[in-house]
């Protein structure tokens, strides 16, 4: 699956996370720090193979802005 980075946490330095990517099939892929076991236990309806990561709201907002721009370019 090919990914295009939409947005990366501006405070993470040159590399790292959290980041949000657009997959070639239109899905979003989120890279971030895994939630702890206690937080994971609070999630509803977790299916086998699913995980949860945490990202700052501004990363999501930046990714949404970039996603809109990418869609307009097409």
């Amino acid at each position: 699956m090919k990914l295009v980075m939409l947005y990366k946490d501006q405070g993470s330095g040159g590399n790292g996370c959290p980041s949000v990517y657009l997959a070639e099939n239109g899905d979003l892929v989120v890279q971030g720090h895994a939630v702890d076991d206690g937080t994971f236990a609070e999630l509803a309806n977790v299916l086998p193979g699913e995980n949860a990561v945490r990202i700052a709201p501004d990363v999501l907002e930046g990714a949404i802005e970039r996603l809109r721009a990418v869609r307009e370019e097409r």
Side-chain angles (χ1 to χ4, degrees):
M1 172 184 334
K2 293 191 177 209
L3 301 176
V4 173
M5 182 182 290
L6 292 176
Y7 196 84
K8 181 178 86 62
D9 183 349
Q10 301 301 304
S12 69
N15 298 311
C17 62
S19 301
V20 179
Y21 300 83
L22 177 62
E24 61 189 340
N25 68 356
D27 287 347
L28 295 176
V29 176
V30 178
Q31 173 189 356
H33 295 285
V35 299
D36 60 66
D37 291 340
T39 303
F40 191 82
E42 294 185 40
L43 299 174
N45 306 314
V46 179
L47 298 175
E50 289 185 337
N51 292 303
V53 298
R54 46 187 180 84
I55 61 171
D58 62 318
V59 174
L60 183 57
E61 291 168 352
I64 290 170
E65 288 176 15
R66 180 69 183 121
L67 178 60
R68 288 182 177 141
V70 166
R71 286 182 175 165
E72 287 178 9
E73 293 171 4
R74 293 181 181 177

